[in-house]
Amino acid sequence: MKNILIASQMYYPDISATSKVITHIAEFFSENKYKVNVISSNRDYNSPTIIYEKNEIHNKVNINRYRVPPFSKNKIIGRLLLSIFVELKFSKEFKKYTPDICFAVSNPPNMALKAAKLSKKKGIPFIFILHDLYPDVLVKIKKIQIDSLVEKKIKDATKQTFLLSDKIIVLGRDAKKYLIEKYNVKPEKIEIITNWGPNNEPIKADDFREKYNLKNKFVILYSGNIGETADFKTLIKTAKLIENDNSIVFFIIGNGRKTNEIRNDIKGLSNIVFLDYLSEKEYMSALNSANVFFVSLRKELCGISIPSKTYYYLSAGKPILAVLPENSEIDLSIKEDNYGFVCNDYSENTLKELIYKLKDERTYAFLKQNAINTFIEKYRNDVVIDKYIKCVEELTK
């Protein structure tokens, strides 16, 4: 039985997107006769006052959690201090294991580098799972300056991690292109493995629709991190443009650094409902209540961030309405498989037109069926995660 070690600051029962992805990967391996150990932090990512048990076995995965202080991820200084603690604590825990292969996720970047270095010392293969690319994301959203000390240190860590990695898993074609062009990474080192959605049985939407008085409403839903990478401006301008149409309602579900800003922007708007994170059951009910899911990414983030919540949305079998840069991975995916509409010009007038196109019954039915087919063929968890097994088997022959 092969031994896999996974390093991730976030893991079950944390409900952040990264936690869910890494938890699914770990549990998939454990179901397929691998021994899996996870090294994670003991605090919830979004609510750091929530503390988890030091050791736990969940779905045959051994979870070993190290202690970190309750720093807020919503402030740069908090994230930097937290990343230092994560690296130090992770290094200590890593020495307890003798795995056949190690995985690490890209947040925080210094932890991934430490995992890569320690893997090389032990003479085992290392796989780098690249979600958001640092420092590039922080530079693009103007959180740090290019050529600053922080930028240089993070970039150096990222470059070293790329060099030490046996495989780099990216979520899309745009990310692969970016790494080749900007970081001179060898193409054969990069593996494109998208994220996925669950094979869940649908949960009835009646309770959610009744709770929010959504009878005969056309519901457009965004859920997830209310952070820097998504574009909410176009959505809010569009909501203002069609506020008099009582048949359309927008839901924003989640939390993050831009929560207060978004709440201020939508004050007085009757057609946007803003909710905090929901329980898993209520969240699934919300997904099944929606007619359409909204996905967005800031123009400048093409190739360095991917709204992978799209795949989770597709598991609910509904069309996608997107505001995305042209030739970004989700833009390419939507247009290839025709399961939604994309607004590439970030114009509220264009987005308004696309919403009314979606309201056409025949168009909606066509896109919905394509969403269902695309999910089954490409983005079901068993279809996608099997690629991880092939990757591990290749590196541990």
Side-chain angles (χ1 to χ4, degrees):
M1 181 183 287
K2 287 179 182 172
N3 242 312
I4 295 175
L5 180 64
I6 298 177
S8 176
Q9 181 185 334
M10 294 147 272
Y11 194 77
Y12 170 88
D14 187 288
I15 62 169
S16 66
T18 297
S19 171
K20 287 179 179 179
V21 167
I22 301 303
T23 300
H24 288 156
I25 291 171
E27 292 179 358
F28 182 81
F29 276 114
S30 71
E31 288 165 9
N32 284 274
K33 299 180 180 178
Y34 292 83
K35 184 177 180 181
V36 184
N37 291 292
V38 172
I39 302 177
S40 181
S41 79
N42 72 328
R43 290 187 185 270
D44 185 272
Y45 188 61
N46 290 300
S47 303
T49 54
I50 298 173
I51 300 175
Y52 303 127
E53 292 291 328
K54 178 172 174 50
N55 299 106
E56 183 178 0
I57 297 175
H58 180 75
N59 289 341
K60 301 180 182 177
V61 175
N62 297 309
I63 311 166
N64 186 357
R65 301 188 181 96
Y66 47 80
R67 292 181 181 179
V68 293
F71 293 124
S72 171
K73 71 177 180 69
N74 293 329
K75 295 179 180 178
I76 286 292
I77 187 65
R79 293 183 80 163
L80 288 172
L81 289 171
L82 183 58
S83 70
I84 292 168
F85 272 87
V86 166
E87 178 187 352
L88 292 171
K89 294 297 183 74
F90 164 77
S91 299
K92 184 179 178 182
E93 296 299 327
F94 186 97
K95 294 171 185 175
K96 299 176 182 177
Y97 298 93
T98 53
D100 296 301
I101 192 167
C102 176
F103 286 81
V105 71
S106 55
N107 184 19
N110 57 326
M111 181 201 69
L113 175 58
K114 182 60 70 173
K117 287 179 176 178
L118 292 171
S119 295
K120 291 307 165 192
K121 277 188 179 179
K122 285 182 181 281
I124 61 170
F126 174 73
I127 296 177
F128 185 31
I129 303 175
L130 183 62
H131 286 174
D132 291 329
L133 178 59
Y134 296 100
D136 304 55
V137 170
L138 297 175
V139 170
K140 294 287 187 182
I141 63 176
K142 297 186 166 105
K143 288 296 177 185
I144 61 174
Q145 290 186 343
I146 194 164
D147 292 330
S148 65
L149 180 62
V150 172
E151 191 267 350
K152 286 177 180 177
K153 278 191 168 295
I154 299 175
K155 193 157 201 168
D156 184 58
T158 297
K159 285 180 177 178
Q160 287 187 63
T161 309
F162 288 155
L163 285 170
L164 293 170
S165 299
D166 294 280
K167 281 288 182 184
I168 302 162
I169 293 175
V170 298
L171 303 180
R173 289 157 282 186
D174 55 343
K176 180 173 182 176
K177 182 172 182 283
Y178 190 92
L179 293 195
I180 294 168
E181 291 178 355
K182 303 292 185 181
Y183 283 86
N184 297 314
V185 178
K186 294 177 181 178
E188 60 270 21
K189 208 177 211 185
I190 305 170
E191 202 76 34
I192 298 174
I193 305 180
T194 66
N195 282 350
W196 58 90
N199 303 343
N200 291 336
E201 288 296 320
I203 293 175
K204 288 184 179 179
D206 297 351
D207 291 346
F208 192 86
R209 280 197 161 257
E210 186 175 334
K211 182 176 181 178
Y212 293 98
N213 194 26
L214 301 177
K215 186 178 180 181
N216 300 323
K217 299 282 189 183
F218 190 78
V219 177
I220 300 168
L221 182 146
Y222 171 91
S223 70
N225 184 40
I226 313 298
E228 302 283 356
T229 58
D231 174 88
F232 293 102
K233 289 181 181 177
T234 308
L235 181 72
I236 293 168
K237 286 179 182 177
T238 306
K240 290 177 180 176
L241 205 59
I242 59 176
E243 189 177 10
N244 291 332
D245 187 341
N246 294 324
S247 69
I248 300 170
V249 60
F250 300 86
F251 272 77
I252 299 175
I253 300 174
N255 210 323
R257 277 174 284 171
K258 299 199 83 173
T259 294
N260 291 335
E261 181 183 325
I262 301 300
R263 286 194 182 277
N264 287 331
D265 288 345
I266 66 172
K267 273 183 182 174
L269 275 176
S270 60
N271 58 347
I272 296 187
V273 180
F274 196 126
L275 303 175
D276 205 336
Y277 284 111
L278 305 174
S279 68
E280 188 67 16
K281 185 175 180 180
E282 192 173 9
Y283 173 63
M284 293 305 296
S285 181
L287 288 187
N288 286 287
S289 299
N291 299 93
V292 172
F293 298 115
F294 179 73
V295 172
S296 70
L297 182 69
R298 285 169 54 167
K299 284 182 187 179
E300 62 270 32
L301 297 181
C302 184
I304 57 178
S305 186
I306 292 174
S308 54
K309 62 173 59 66
T310 307
Y311 311 116
Y312 206 98
Y313 287 162
L314 285 172
S315 70
K318 309 285 178 65
I320 304 294
L321 176 67
V323 176
L324 297 169
E326 199 164 6
N327 294 321
S328 59
E329 175 60 29
I330 303 302
D331 174 67
L332 294 171
S333 176
I334 291 172
K335 290 171 180 175
E336 282 173 358
D337 293 308
N338 210 2
Y339 57 81
F341 291 134
V342 184
C343 171
N344 293 130
D345 65 3
Y346 292 71
S347 160
E348 62 269 28
N349 291 308
T350 301
L351 195 61
K352 173 187 172 183
E353 287 177 18
L354 296 178
I355 289 170
Y356 282 103
K357 278 187 182 179
L358 281 164
K359 287 194 73 185
D360 175 78
E361 288 185 14
R362 291 180 67 179
T363 301
Y364 182 84
F366 173 74
L367 296 173
K368 181 178 179 180
Q369 189 57 54
N370 286 346
I372 293 167
N373 294 343
T374 300
F375 174 71
I376 291 170
E377 292 167 13
K378 292 185 176 182
Y379 302 125
R380 274 189 347 193
N381 55 17
D382 54 336
V383 173
V384 176
I385 303 185
D386 188 53
K387 296 175 184 177
Y388 278 89
I389 285 187
K390 290 177 182 175
C391 200
V392 167
E393 290 302 313
E394 180 187 323
L395 292 173
T396 57
K397 285 177 183 176

